[in-house]
């Protein structure tokens, strides 16, 4: 019924057209926006509107749709040109439509219209458009009353150059110079005004912007803005203290030129520059009434060349907001303030009240104030504050060294001294040379990098690539804000020199002087080397006083050492050799000897935890920690070697607690081999700037282990790192030499393989993320480079050749015969010497709770080669600690294998017996790692067949945030309860298993019809893909006890509808059981499979497929109703029958009737039983007689068969034959024939005449039904 209606609607001559996004109504051929010929842009082409059936309703729709108010007049006019296309004609509008094509009309281009006339219209709105701002620049504002009141703005959404060009042209402002996308100026009234969308795309010829008006948009955020080429941009240049005074300049072609022969009121220029309302013009110099300048502030204090940007207007400072703030604007500020170039430009996020926002500079302006921006004299709220750091804010120095020409490089930035990031091998020498030259220390001689986690670093890099650099700001370049490591640069310039002692013990040895890369030795001439000089050297080295001083000979030829060119005369209170008085002349034996000294003091260096911890230095009895700022990796490596803690320094994951350090710097030389030989710079007692002590982790502090002790020499790897066991990432174990080193160190043989991680999701660390070991066969982690980080990764699982695992066989997961698996073999565990304590330990080892009982079991074919004895182990960490080698003299005595039973046997169940959700200890299992073999094991364990139905392994979606079992079985796991498992949230589905032992087969008819299978609690049809496989069907017929199967019986008796089925039967030649051929696999558009076995019967049997219950209920209800109706009719008929037959009719044959009464009654009984349960349908159907009397004559007189009540209960068109179950035949006269009578029930519509007609004899009339008795001859 619906299809014809749809066709009728679709084919209707007058249809409702759904407007597409590109369809537009426009008025053409008029300079007045709301007057002209009505045009329609459809499918990108302009067409016109015909005037047939045009009325005021259509005019109302047009004026409303083009935002022109209401219609004033509309009429048909002669077309000024040949019209090629009419889109709409014969339009029928109600006046409420939003667009003309939403009215009823035949369709676009369907109705013909004469080509010499067009429909024109004039609407009420008098449109006027202007720019709110300056001449030829500002926000687009419109008026609908001819400019008396500008009531709205054009919205910026969709505003582009195409629309801007139309506007600039109509305003006589040239073309578009720039479409401004930022909020510009204040435009406070914008929020309260109406907003109109405008889009000109698709309109061929646009003469006015209003032709592009589309609809009002209340959600518009900002007005459309444009700067036309006719707009003049001006600024003032000259007075930095007041940017509103100076030479008046205008921009032409990106350059600024003085304004000559100005004809414009200078007050207008001041207003355009936001410099007040009045002015004084002197030639080309203009001074406006306001005083404005740009300043930088840090913590509300004026700062030089860095800080937040403020505008000071008439001595009141107001912030500059940071929206759209970038380097271009910052460059204008730095240039304006004489602070060089921009080092950093950013916006500081915090709510503030500013007077400038959305600042946009071209870069050529003399002041930030002359850039385009949203402005207001009254401060407005903005989310951020503009901030700039200029290069003029930088200074340079070397700190924490023994002099100004050596130390850690620091650069002053934003008023703070900050360390400089090192660049490793890429650090250019020119950087260091430039720093040394700027400090008057000549060129550099050495560059180091030191770790400095606690220092504040320069937010940039040092790149002194230019020549003739006169200021460090020229070297500052931008860089990422974050760095992985904080390494400071330490520079030693050519002018730097330091004293050191070289010997086998601290505070003794030859006196050396290092300058740059050269090492010199102090002359041991007796004329200059004396007790005072020796004491000065010992004090300079923090070694107390000299207990002995002497000299050694300098070799004459090979191995001759360079002697320091100067000699000194020191006093008793001199603290440094270089503070002693220089001798103007050297002695004649100056180069023949080298000074040596033994001081009374001692120096020691250590770590708080032997091979890791804080660096601790003791100068005699004065001990303390070293500042991390000056500590270098070279110092750390040297200390690790000195302490015998490996040759590598590892990355620290623990930040040491802050403390008061006493050593500001530690400085080594080229000749230094022991940290105690370094120069130590003591911090001032009142200096609290460094509170982060140096902290070292030597590679010799690392220990390793397998975290899971259930298996020996296999599992996830952990390393003792800074006193904590840390997991090792899988990626750190990828190199074979790393695996070999770990297996070797753990005495587990050689590396075997890596195993994929299985366990809960790893946290954020710390983890061992990288291990680098040498490939020379060195088996010590102390020689490896190890990195620890806080990052997510999968822990690594390693298996060595010494791998061993204990499992139980010939039983369940937690009970059975104990064996040990190892690389390529198995060995039984001997029962010899087994104790209850050991049983409890083994049960706990197997995660099976406590011991239930243990005993000997099988007699071994050969002596056991695995023996455990815990008697001599006091506190074993693992059951493997009890493993012992079998003594050779006792091997032949052990003949019994251990059999053990533990208490906590995992309970593996299926929710529905042989199918349903898999549960372990009443908790479901997630399918993320589930494999088909696991399903087979579940079925086998549940004695539900040895196989699960393929393709059915998951079902229900897990509960969010609930934890479920995750399972993985390895090669040596024979029971599901032995497999590794953990609890975690499930991102997949929950496992359901359907076993073949639960499968049942049936057909829709007896031994034939559509095949049905039940394996998950419901009967389902089977795909028909394999209906030609006779062997398959034979197995199925046998399974259902239906005999054999032949090809001739395989005929599709029905034509079932194709549907998507999920069950497939597919047997291989090895399958002997049809249940094992079942698989769950989707078959799209497949007919259900049918089968017909030898014992197929045609009587349909009830299908076992579950259908909806309501049709069956309705059918049963109807049947009950019919039975009740028949019963009522029979009762009424019996009541009437005695009255309808005259007693005299049968008088002539009464004796004959009596004589045959006995035989006839027997037949009557059979007939009466049948007649009471049968009903026949149809107006012309004949009833079978209830009486089988051949010797009874036909009754001559027939009375009406039913009463009025009987008629009312009869169904339409139904004929009933009923007998009286209580008929008495004693008074029936003999007659040759008993007639049969039918009652026909008719339902008709009667005319008036028919209503008045006499009722047929013997009938009762009620409503439109009447009874017609009819005699039916007995045949």
């Amino acid at each position: 019924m619906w299809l014809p209606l749809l066709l009728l609607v679709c084919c209707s001559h007058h249809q409702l057209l759904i407007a597409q996004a590109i369809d537009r109504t426009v008025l053409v051929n008029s300079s007045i926006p709301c007057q002209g010929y009505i045009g329609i842009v459809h499918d990108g082409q302009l067409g016109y509107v015909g005037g047939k059936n045009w009325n005021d309703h259509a005019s109302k729709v047009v004026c409303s749709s083009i935002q022109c108010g209401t219609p004033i007049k509309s009429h048909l006019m002669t077309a000024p040109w040949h019209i090629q296309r009419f889109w709409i004609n014969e339009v029928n509008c109600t006046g409420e439509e939003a667009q003309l094509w939403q009215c009823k009309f035949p369709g676009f281009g369907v109705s013909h219209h004469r080509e010499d006339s067009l429909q024109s219209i004039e609407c009420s709105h008098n449109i006027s458009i202007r720019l709110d701002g300056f001449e030829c620049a500002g926000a687009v504002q419109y008026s609908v009353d001819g400019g008396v009141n500008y009531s709205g703005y054009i919205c910026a959404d969709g505003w582009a150059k195409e629309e801007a060009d139309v506007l600039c042209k109509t305003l006589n402002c040239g073309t578009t110079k720039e479409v401004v996308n930022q909020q510009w100026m204040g435009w406070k009234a914008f929020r309260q005004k109406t907003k109109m969308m405008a889009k000109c795309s698709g309109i061929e010829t646009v003469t006015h912007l209003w032709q592009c008006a589309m609809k009002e948009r209340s959600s518009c955020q900002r007005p459309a803005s444009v700067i036309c080429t006719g707009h003049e941009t001006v600024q003032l240049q000259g007075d930095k203290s007041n940017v509103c005074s100076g030479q008046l300049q205008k921009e032409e072609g990106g350059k600024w030129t003085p304004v000559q022969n100005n004809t414009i009121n200078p007050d207008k220029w001041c207003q355009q520059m936001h410099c007040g309302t009045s002015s004084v013009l002197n030639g080309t110099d203009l001074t406006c009434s306001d005083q404005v300048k740009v300043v930088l502030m840090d913590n509300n204090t004026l700062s030089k060349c860095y800080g937040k940007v403020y505008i000071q207007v008439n001595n009141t400072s107001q912030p500059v907001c940071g929206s759209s703030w970038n380097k271009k604007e910052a460059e204008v500020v730095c240039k304006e303030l004489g602070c060089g170039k921009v080092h950093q430009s950013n916006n500081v996020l915090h709510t503030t009240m500013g007077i400038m926002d959305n600042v946009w500079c071209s870069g050529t302006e003399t002041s930030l104030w002359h850039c385009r921006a949203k402005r207001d004299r009254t401060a407005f709220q903005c989310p951020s504050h503009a901030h700039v750091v200029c290069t003029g804010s930088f200074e340079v120095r070397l700190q924490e060294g023994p002099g100004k020409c050596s130390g850690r490089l620091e650069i002053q930035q934003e008023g703070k001294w900050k360390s400089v990031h090192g660049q490793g091998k890429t650090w250019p020498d020119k950087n260091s040379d430039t720093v040394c030259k700027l400090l008057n220390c000549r060129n550099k001689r050495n560059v180091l990098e030191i770790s400095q986690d606690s220092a504040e670093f320069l937010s940039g890099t040092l790149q002194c690539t230019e020549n003739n650099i006169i200021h460090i700001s020229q070297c500052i370049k931008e860089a990422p804000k974050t760095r992985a490591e904080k390494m400071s640069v330490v520079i030693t310039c050519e002018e730097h020199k330091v004293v050191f002692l070289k010997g086998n013990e601290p505070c003794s040895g030859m006196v050396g002087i290092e300058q740059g890369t050269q090492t010199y030795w102090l002359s041991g001439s007796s004329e200059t080397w004396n007790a005072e000089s020796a004491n000065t050297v010992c004090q300079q080295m923090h070694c107390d006083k000299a207990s002995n001083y002497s000299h050694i000979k300098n070799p004459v030829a090979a191995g001759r050492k360079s002697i320091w060119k100067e000699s000194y005369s020191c006093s008793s209170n001199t603290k440094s050799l270089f503070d002693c008085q220089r001798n103007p002349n050297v002695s004649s034996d100056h180069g023949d000897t080298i000074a040596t000294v033994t001081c009374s003091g001692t120096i020691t260096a250590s770590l708080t935890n032997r091979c890791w911890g804080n660096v601790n230095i003791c100068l005699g009895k004065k001990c303390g920690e070293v500042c991390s700022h000056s500590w270098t990796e070279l110092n750390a490596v040297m200390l690790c070697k000195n302490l015998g803690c490996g040759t590598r320094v590892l990355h620290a994951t623990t930040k040491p607690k802050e403390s008061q350090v006493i050593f500001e710097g530690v400085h080594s030389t080229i000749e230094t081999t022991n940290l105690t030989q370094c120069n130590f710079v003591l911090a001032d007692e009142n200096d609290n700037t460094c509170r982060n002590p140096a902290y070292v982790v030597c590679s010799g502090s690392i220990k390793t282990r397998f975290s899971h002790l259930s298996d020996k020499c296999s599992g996830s790897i952990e390393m003792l790192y800074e006193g904590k066991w840390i997991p090792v990432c899988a990626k750190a174990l990828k190199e074979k030499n790393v695996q070999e080193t770990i297996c070797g160190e753990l005495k587990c043989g050689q590396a075997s393989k890596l195993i994929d991680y299985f366990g809960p999701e790893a946290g954020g660390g710390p983890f061992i993320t990288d291990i680098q070991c040498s490939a020379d066969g060195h088996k010590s982690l102390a020689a490896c480079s190890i990195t620890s980080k806080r990052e997510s990764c999968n822990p690594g699982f390693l298996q060595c050749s010494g791998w061993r695992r204990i499992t139980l066989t010939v039983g369940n997961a937690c009970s059975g015969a104990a064996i040990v698996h190892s690389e390529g073999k198995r060995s039984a565990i001997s029962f010899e010497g087994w104790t209850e304590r050991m049983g409890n330990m083994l049960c706990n080892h197997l995660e099976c709770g406590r011991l239930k009982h243990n005993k000997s079991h099988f007699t071994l074919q050969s002596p056991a080669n695995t023996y455990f004895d815990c008697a001599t182990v006091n506190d074993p960490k693992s059951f493997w600690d009890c493993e012992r080698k079998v003594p050779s003299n006792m091997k032949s005595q052990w003949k019994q294998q251990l059999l053990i039973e533990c208490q906590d046997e995992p309970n593996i169940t299926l929710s529905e017996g042989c199918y349903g959700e898999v549960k372990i200890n009443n908790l479901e299992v997630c399918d993320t790692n589930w494999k088909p073999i696991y399903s087979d094991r579940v079925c086998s364990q549940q004695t539900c067949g040895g196989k699960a139905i393929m393709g059915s392994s998951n079902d229900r979606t897990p509960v969010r945030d609930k934890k479920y079992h995750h399972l993985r079985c390895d090669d040596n796991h024979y029971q599901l309860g032995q497999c590794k498992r953990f609890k975690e949230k499930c991102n997949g589905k929950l496992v359901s298993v359907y076993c073949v032992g639960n499968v049942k087969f049936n057909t829709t008819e007896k031994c034939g019809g559509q095949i049905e299978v039940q394996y998950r609690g419901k009967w389902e049809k089977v795909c028909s893909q394999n209906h030609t496989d006779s062997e398959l069907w034979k197995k199925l017929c046998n399974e259902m006890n239906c005999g054999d199967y032949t090809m001739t019986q395989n005929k599709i008796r029905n034509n079932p509808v194709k549907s998507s089925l999920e069950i497939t039967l597919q047997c291989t030649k090895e399958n002997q059981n049809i249940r094992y051929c079942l698989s769950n696999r989707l078959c799209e558009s497949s007919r259900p499979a049918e089968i017909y076995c030898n014992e197929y019967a045609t009587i349909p049997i009830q299908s076992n497929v579950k259908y909806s219950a309501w049709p069956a209920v309705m059918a049963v209800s109807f049947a009950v109703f019919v039975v009740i109706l028949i019963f009522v009719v029979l009762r009424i008929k019996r009541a009437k029958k005695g009255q309808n037959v005259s007693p005299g009719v049968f008088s002539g044959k009464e004796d004959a009737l009596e004589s045959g009464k006995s035989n006839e009654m027997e037949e009557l009984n059979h007939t009466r039983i049948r007649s009471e349960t049968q009903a026949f349908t149809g107006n012309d159907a004949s009833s079978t007689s209830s009486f089988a009397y051949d010797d009874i004559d036909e009754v001559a007189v027939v009375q009406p068969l039913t009463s009025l009540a009987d008629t009312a209960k009869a169904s339409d068109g139904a004929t009933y034959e009923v007998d009286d179950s209580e008929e008495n035949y004693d008074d029936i006269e003999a007659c040759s024939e008993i007639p049969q009578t039918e009652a026909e029930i008719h339902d008709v519509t009667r005319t008036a005449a028919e209503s008045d007609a006499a009722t047929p004899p013997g009938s009762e009339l009620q409503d439109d039904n009447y009874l017609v008795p009819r005699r039916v001859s007995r045949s």
Side-chain angles (χ1 to χ4, degrees), residues 653 717-722 724-728 766-768 788:
T653 61
I717 302 297
E718 290 181 337
M719 288 188 174
L720 186 64
Y721 200 103
E722 299 176 90
K724 297 179 182 178
W725 289 102
I726 299 176
V728 177
F767 288 94
I768 304 296
S788 174

Side-chain angles (χ1 to χ4, degrees), residues 267-342:
D267 290 348
K268 183 178 179 181
W269 290 129
C270 287
Q271 293 172 17
Q272 181 172 324
M273 290 184 292
H274 306 279
C275 284
T277 57
S278 60
S279 62
V280 176
L281 181 63
N282 183 11
T284 59
D285 291 339
L286 177 65
T287 301
C288 300
S289 57
D290 284 346
Q291 288 190 345
V292 179
K293 68 176 180 178
V294 177
V295 296
L296 299 177
M297 302 180 73
D298 184 25
N299 293 324
N300 298 320
T301 303
L302 289 175
S303 55
K304 181 182 178 182
C305 298
Y306 75 94
K308 296 177 181 177
V309 185
Y310 287 79
I311 300 294
Q312 195 176 85
V313 180
N314 299 328
N315 296 321
T316 300
S317 297
Q318 298 283 3
V320 174
C321 301
S323 302
S324 73
W325 182 263
N326 58 36
K327 186 178 180 181
K328 208 86 165 178
E329 291 71 50
E331 286 176 346
V332 172
V333 172
C334 291
K335 181 179 66 174
E336 175 182 2
L337 298 178
C339 289
K341 298 181 180 180
V342 176

Side-chain angles (χ1 to χ4, degrees), residues 866-976:
T866 302
Y867 172 65
F868 288 86
D869 182 8
C870 298
T872 59
V873 183
N874 293 327
D875 185 21
K877 296 180 180 178
S878 167
F879 190 66
W880 295 110
D881 293 341
C882 300
E883 185 178 14
R884 298 289 182 270
K885 289 184 178 181
V886 179
S888 58
N889 61 342
M890 298 179 65
K891 285 184 179 181
S892 60
Q893 300 178 14
W894 295 324
K895 299 293 185 180
Q896 298 297 316
Q897 182 181 3
L898 172 67
L899 177 66
I900 191 169
E901 183 177 357
C902 306
Q903 294 180 356
D904 294 348
E905 180 70 38
N907 185 22
I908 314 294
T909 58
L910 291 174
S911 59
E912 303 297 331
C914 281
Y915 73 93
E917 291 179 346
V918 179
K919 295 184 179 181
I920 303 177
N921 296 331
N922 206 32
L923 179 64
E924 296 88 345
V925 179
C926 184
D927 71 345
T928 51
N929 201 58
W930 190 263
K931 296 180 180 179
I933 185 64
Y934 301 172
S935 300
D936 295 342
R937 288 181 181 176
V938 171
C939 293
S940 179
Q941 287 181 228
Q942 301 299 310
T943 62
C944 292
K947 186 176 178 60
I949 295 173
M950 184 177 64
S952 297
S953 60
N954 53 42
D955 193 2
R956 186 164 63 91
T957 301
V959 177
R960 185 179 180 183
D961 295 332
K962 182 179 177 181
K963 293 185 177 181
Y964 297 90
H965 284 301
H966 294 252
L967 202 73
R968 186 179 78 182
C969 300
D970 294 337
D971 294 339
N972 306 112
H973 293 145
Y974 307 109
Q975 296 282 333
L976 208 65

Side-chain angles (χ1 to χ4, degrees), residues 1126 1170-1171 1174-1179 1181-1184 1213-1217:
I1126 294 173
R1170 184 184 74 251
S1171 63
Q1174 291 181 342
F1176 299 88
T1177 304
N1179 290 337
S1182 298
S1183 299
T1184 304
T1215 300
Y1216 301 98
E1217 176 187 325

Side-chain angles (χ1 to χ4, degrees), residues 246-260:
Q247 185 186 58
L248 180 64
Q249 298 176 336
K250 67 178 180 179
E251 185 186 21
E252 292 180 345
K255 297 182 179 181
W256 295 93
T257 59
V259 176
Q260 303 290 343

Side-chain angles (χ1 to χ4, degrees), residues 677-695:
Q677 298 172 343
C678 293
N679 278 270
F680 298 95
V681 179
L682 288 168
D684 295 336
E685 292 184 0
N686 297 324
D687 184 5
N688 295 322
T689 56
C690 181
R691 301 188 61 82
N692 295 316
Y695 182 86

